[in-house]
Amino acid sequence: MSGTYLGMPAFPAAAASSTQDARLRGNLRHATHTIRDKRARAVAELDDWARLRAAGAAVKDRTLRHLDHYLEQLEESVTAAGGQVHWAADAAEANALVARLVRETGEREVVKVKSMATQETELNRALAEAGISAYETDLAELIVQLGDDLPSHILVPAIHRNRGEIRDIFREQMARWGRPAPENLSDAPAELAEAARLHLREKFLTAKVGVSGANFMVADTGTLVVVESEGNGRMCLTLPETLISVVGIEKVVPTWQDLEIFLQLLPRSSTAERMNPYTSTWTGTTDGDGPRTFHLVLLDNGRTDTLADTVGRQALRCIRCSACLNVCPVYERAGGHAYGSAYPGPIGAILTPQLRGTASELDASLPYASSLCGACYEVCPVAIDIPEVLVHLRERVVQGGRVTRRGVKTVLKPAKGHAAERAAMRAAGFAFDHPGVLRTGQRLAARTRRLHPRRLPGPGRAWTDTRDLPPVPAESFRDWWRRTRGEERTT
Amino acid sequence: MRVALFVTCINDTLYPDTGRAVITLLERLGVEVGFPVEQSCCGQPQFNTGYRHLTEPLVHRFDRAFADYDYVITPSGSCAAMVRDNYPRIAARARDEGRAGRELARAAASAVPKTYELTEFLVDVLKVTDVGAYYPHTVTYHPTCHGLRMLGLGDRPRRLLEHVRGLELRELPGAEECCGFGGTFAVKNPAVSAAMGADKARAVRETGAEAVCTVDNSCLMHIGGTLRRQGAAARPVHIAEILAATEADAREDAREPARARATEGSRR
Ligand code: SF4
């Protein structure tokens, strides 16, 4: 694994190898089951959870319907409070903007608060190309960065690593990036955390530029909000002279009153806490307190196009809590890297093919990376019907249809490689709509039942490699009915 | 009360015993059951794979086939959920696309309220939990995802099983986790599907139960196929077949072990 998503294989191929990795499976099973049980308990404490969830979904939907209005309001309030607002249509624009803003400060180093938006744009890589070093300060992001790895979880990017692996990474890599790991570092969590603390302290105290995302932006006051557990965010948001925040445009909420709903939904869903340890809010700049310069980069990168799709747009409600990952049986076994983007798990399977489109083999395979078991929908704090969107996107892959790309409505062609399936589905559809044909097929199968093998060649192996086939019965139900109950009514 | 069986395409073709069990059970409870042969498939395989338009004729067919009935009973949580959740959606989407939405909406509106998964019909409509069944075996129950989360079957199947004489219910660890079938998921993502199936099969084996039971044969085909490949003794059995079984069946099985084995064989 080396830090980029480019050229990754389609989901089934990636998952075919990751499911064989016993250590990864063990790490993920342990971590996801622990957090999923804790979340269930934290949510069960509130008897108005269902109403909070409905309110969260409704606020997001209403805000998204009037997104243009709230974004302009936000720009006005941020500007009035002393911030500068920039608009980025895509990842390249956002990265170029941030690189330019950093360069204008004369600095060559930035400290980063954990941020999904900058993982999405692969900002660190772009900054490195511009000669700027970006230091991740969230513990798990640090582990990922030191290991030249990719994040595999929204909340715990290094969830695929266990303590022993983390100790090895710290021992081998910390020195390259700054303060080395202490001699004789063990894999005790407290020692690992202390090593990270010492390593990071140096960065916090010297960095002049901080880069963050935001969990929410309040339109009417121009306030940005970051919720976190470690306190590294608070350091990056307050110590540097310049703060640059890259935030997806869907993160806006109209008022503080709306924010109140999400500050209840998010911690319980993500870390199973009643309240997260640190909630930082800032409004523009304040003399003598915190960064003197504040830039807000508003990132579109496919979001407006997603908004144009009436079924798919609900994905924009997402508050990145990662509850859907933690309950997903597919994520638990395939691991986050198989999803090939910053957004793994169920939310990634519906968000990535909308933000990036379905042109690549990987992106077209994502809507199928689900058994449609519905566990994600059940836990989602903003009630995103992920199975509904998955099926909708499957339709887009196999049939094509109308989509919006960079603001322009176009008609998508069906993806390649589905011709045989399409023919089979049509044939089945025909048989099901002509029960006479169906019955002939059933009788043929019944007559040849002694010949049916338990293992199939070719594509059928996908089933029979691990599972026996059921034998075909001597007589279908409808033939039995006709034989024993007589009287057939015809179509 | 005119009641029809919607047997589903997979039961019709591969698991006719399940269809027969529903008939036996309902008739024993004094319900006369019809089987309109115009019925075929609810359209779920096509719909869930992305071929929504191909399911539209099947919505109409479903409506036509069951037009004369007050209740449509199906031994499949997932097919019942397809009708209830997705038929109205299919109609709404057709309307958005400016095509025959009204006809589909009418078909969906007539199909949705009368379609019941078997255990729902027993508990909610017939208001029985003791169906007079006898099944002298240890059984573990896997709540299928669509039954659990889309239909919200809750404890209905469990209440029915608890009243079956001779049956000892064994708790299935991680019961609410998906078995990994997922329709075409099983062949499009075989590695993950098999990994999930292996974990489910292990949980079933750990219970030591003789049989694993669900409200859906599609999941059972996957779980049972995995168990059998692993050489496990636990056999898959649809809940309808447990609820249909009586003391008389058990005596007959004891007299004719060969026949009992043959029946069991066809279940695997
Ligand atoms: S989709 Fe829902 S559950 Fe998943 S990360 Fe987003 S808000 Fe959380």
Side-chain angles (χ1 to χ4, degrees):
Chain A
M1 192 65 45
S2 78
T4 178
Y5 299 108
L6 278 174
M8 288 183 59
F11 185 86
S17 60
S18 58
T19 48
Q20 302 302 316
D21 184 340
R23 179 155 72 163
L24 175 70
R25 289 268 301 273
N27 292 354
L28 278 176
R29 186 177 170 80
H30 174 74
T32 56
H33 280 252
T34 309
I35 185 75
R36 98 169 52 150
D37 296 345
K38 282 212 261 182
R39 185 214 74 97
R41 285 196 295 275
V43 164
E45 282 181 357
L46 294 187
D47 48 17
D48 65 344
W49 184 258
R51 275 160 50 213
L52 268 175
R53 182 177 186 246
V59 168
K60 282 282 181 181
D61 280 352
R62 173 164 52 80
T63 314
L64 288 166
R65 257 199 316 276
H66 306 289
L67 191 58
D68 49 348
H69 165 76
Y70 289 115
L71 286 173
E72 282 177 6
Q73 191 188 4
L74 176 79
E75 179 178 32
E76 246 170 65
S77 346
V78 170
T79 311
Q84 296 171 48
V85 178
H86 313 263
W87 301 79
D90 56 24
E93 262 185 53
N95 292 345
L97 253 164
V98 176
R100 177 170 64 77
L101 293 171
V102 176
R103 241 187 267 117
E104 281 171 8
T105 65
E107 295 295 318
R108 284 288 174 273
E109 291 187 350
V110 303
V111 282
K112 281 190 72 199
V113 186
K114 181 176 165 2
S115 132
M116 292 310 298
T118 60
Q119 287 289 2
E120 175 187 328
T121 65
E122 300 186 53
L123 176 66
N124 292 3
R125 197 161 55 100
L127 289 180
E129 281 164 13
I132 298 163
S133 309
Y135 300 115
E136 295 290 350
T137 64
D138 170 83
L139 178 56
E141 287 287 10
L142 174 71
I143 296 164
V144 168
Q145 185 173 44
L146 292 177
D148 192 19
D149 199 352
L150 283 168
S152 70
H153 189 276
I154 290 177
L155 183 75
V156 198
I159 198 169
H160 55 289
R161 299 290 198 188
N162 63 24
R163 289 194 268 147
E165 293 174 276
I166 294 167
R167 180 204 49 211
D168 295 346
I169 292 170
F170 279 10
R171 274 194 190 153
E172 286 156 26
Q173 302 297 335
M174 267 186 173
R176 276 206 315 142
W177 290 79
R179 181 175 172 142
E183 294 281 317
N184 309 321
L185 177 67
S186 83
D187 67 355
E191 276 191 42
L192 294 173
E194 183 60 15
R197 201 173 284 128
L198 293 170
H199 178 82
L200 289 171
R201 181 123 312 169
E202 234 179 49
K203 310 281 182 223
F204 291 134
L205 294 177
T206 53
K208 298 272 186 291
V209 182
V211 172
S212 84
N215 294 95
F216 307 98
M217 308 183 283
V218 184
D220 73 344
T221 58
T223 306
L224 271 74
V225 184
V226 162
V227 299
E228 46 137 357
S229 303
E230 296 172 10
N232 64 302
R234 178 70 55 86
M235 302 273 226
C236 298
L237 296 168
T238 51
L239 291 176
E241 288 164 9
T242 301
L243 174 61
I244 305 168
S245 301
V246 183
V247 189
I249 52 173
E250 82 284 19
K251 295 276 167 259
V252 65
V253 295
T255 65
W256 279 76
Q257 203 174 353
D258 300 310
L259 186 62
E260 178 244 341
I261 300 165
F262 298 104
L263 291 184
Q264 295 181 72
L265 288 171
L266 182 52
R268 285 181 199 259
S269 299
S270 63
T271 49
E273 291 167 307
R274 292 173 183 150
M275 188 76 223
N276 45 284
Y278 297 87
T279 302
S280 300
T281 67
W282 69 101
T283 309
T285 55
T286 308
D287 277 342
D289 183 13
R292 272 170 299 182
T293 311
F294 169 54
H295 296 280
L296 171 59
V297 177
L298 290 170
L299 176 72
D300 187 314
N301 206 30
R303 285 162 175 77
T304 309
D305 295 343
T306 305
L307 191 56
D309 186 293
T310 52
V311 178
R313 64 166 62 137
Q314 55 185 308
L316 296 177
R317 289 184 205 144
C318 175
I319 55 173
R320 313 278 189 260
C321 72
S322 71
C324 58
L325 281 65
N326 297 329
V327 294
C328 179
V330 176
Y331 173 84
E332 178 191 330
R333 284 152 186 102
H337 292 146
Y339 294 82
S341 91
Y343 304 108
I347 181 60
I350 61 168
L351 197 56
T352 308
Q354 298 199 82
L355 296 181
R356 294 203 301 220
T358 47
S360 80
E361 208 196 330
L362 166 63
D363 293 341
S365 73
L366 288 175
Y368 297 92
S370 166
S371 64
L372 304 180
C373 82
C376 48
Y377 177 33
E378 193 177 49
V379 297
C380 177
V382 285
I384 301 172
D385 190 340
I386 294 175
E388 181 190 18
V389 182
L390 286 167
V391 169
H392 175 67
L393 293 173
R394 290 175 184 188
E395 185 178 317
R396 184 178 294 174
V397 171
V398 297
Q399 292 195 356
R402 259 181 296 208
V403 295
T404 312
R405 285 276 163 263
R406 301 211 62 137
V408 181
K409 285 205 167 60
T410 54
V411 176
L412 210 66
K413 284 207 204 70
K416 287 196 197 82
H418 288 265
E421 175 187 281
R422 198 155 30 239
M425 284 292 170
R426 287 224 179 92
F430 180 80
F432 286 137
D433 204 23
H434 297 78
V437 175
L438 178 64
R439 203 170 50 224
T440 310
Q442 286 172 338
R443 286 188 183 153
L444 186 66
R447 267 204 298 278
T448 57
R449 61 200 279 259
R450 301 261 168 254
L451 307 173
H452 293 182
R454 280 277 157 95
R455 288 174 193 250
L456 299 173
R461 279 188 47 192
W463 180 272
T464 59
D465 270 353
T466 57
R467 294 157 284 216
D468 278 7
L469 281 172
V472 177
E475 187 178 46
S476 70
F477 180 85
R478 64 180 65 229
D479 275 350
W480 171 81
W481 179 270
R482 219 162 67 112
R483 186 167 57 75
T484 58
R485 308 280 171 125
E487 254 325 270
E488 178 170 350
R489 299 185 323 163
T490 47
T491 343
Chain B
M1 181 162 85
R2 289 162 306 170
V3 176
L5 167 67
F6 171 46
V7 74
T8 80
C9 60
I10 172 170
N11 289 326
D12 182 12
T13 308
L14 292 174
Y15 300 103
D17 286 349
T18 298
R20 283 193 282 270
V22 177
I23 303 276
T24 306
L25 170 65
L26 292 179
E27 288 182 347
R28 191 171 77 219
L29 295 170
V31 179
E32 194 186 315
V33 192
F35 179 76
V37 298
E38 298 91 324
Q39 66 178 273
S40 65
C41 168
C42 66
Q44 182 173 214
Q46 296 85 337
F47 184 82
N48 280 352
T49 318
Y51 298 88
R52 172 171 53 89
H53 294 117
L54 291 178
T55 62
E56 289 175 0
L58 299 176
V59 175
H60 285 302
R61 168 166 293 278
F62 190 98
D63 174 46
R64 277 200 312 276
F66 299 109
D68 295 342
Y69 293 91
D70 305 315
Y71 292 97
V72 181
I73 315 307
T74 182
S76 163
S78 130
C79 301
M82 169 70 189
V83 173
R84 204 173 291 167
D85 278 22
N86 292 328
Y87 278 18
R89 254 180 207 162
I90 290 166
R93 298 277 289 145
R95 192 198 50 219
D96 291 349
E97 290 165 0
R99 297 174 305 100
R102 197 171 306 155
E103 275 308 289
L104 279 164
R106 200 202 46 72
S110 101
V112 170
K114 65 183 174 189
T115 302
Y116 285 81
E117 184 277 331
L118 175 67
T119 66
E120 284 179 322
F121 182 70
L122 294 171
V123 176
D124 298 353
V125 180
L126 298 185
K127 306 214 183 302
V128 288
T129 44
D130 184 349
V131 296
Y134 175 72
Y135 195 77
H137 301 284
T138 49
V139 174
T140 190
Y141 172 68
H142 165 62
T144 61
C145 299
H146 291 174
L148 184 73
R149 285 181 275 264
M150 286 174 83
L151 286 183
L153 291 183
D155 63 354
R156 291 178 185 83
R158 168 176 294 273
R159 278 158 67 199
L160 289 159
L161 290 171
E162 278 166 358
H163 283 91
V164 174
R165 271 170 288 286
L167 185 148
E168 186 198 322
L169 201 55
R170 296 261 174 95
E171 224 37 68
L172 181 66
E176 298 193 350
E177 286 172 47
C178 177
C179 71
F181 172 65
T184 45
F185 173 75
V187 287
K188 281 186 186 283
N189 275 291
V192 183
S193 170
M196 290 162 70
D199 288 345
K200 183 59 73 180
R202 184 179 326 110
V204 168
R205 289 204 317 265
E206 277 168 12
T207 67
E210 293 161 69
V212 50
C213 137
T214 74
V215 297
D216 249 304
N217 272 327
S218 47
C219 305
L220 276 182
M221 179 166 79
H222 169 73
I223 300 171
T226 306
L227 281 167
R228 193 181 157 97
R229 180 61 58 84
Q230 294 177 346
R235 64 180 189 275
V237 55
H238 192 284
I239 194 169
E241 294 172 43
I242 292 179
L243 298 178
T246 58
E247 262 101 347
D249 296 332
R251 277 197 300 277
E252 208 172 301
D253 280 358
R255 261 204 312 279
E256 286 183 72
R259 182 187 154 277
R261 264 203 307 282
T263 322
E264 181 183 309
S266 81
R267 290 283 328 144
R268 293 182 143 199

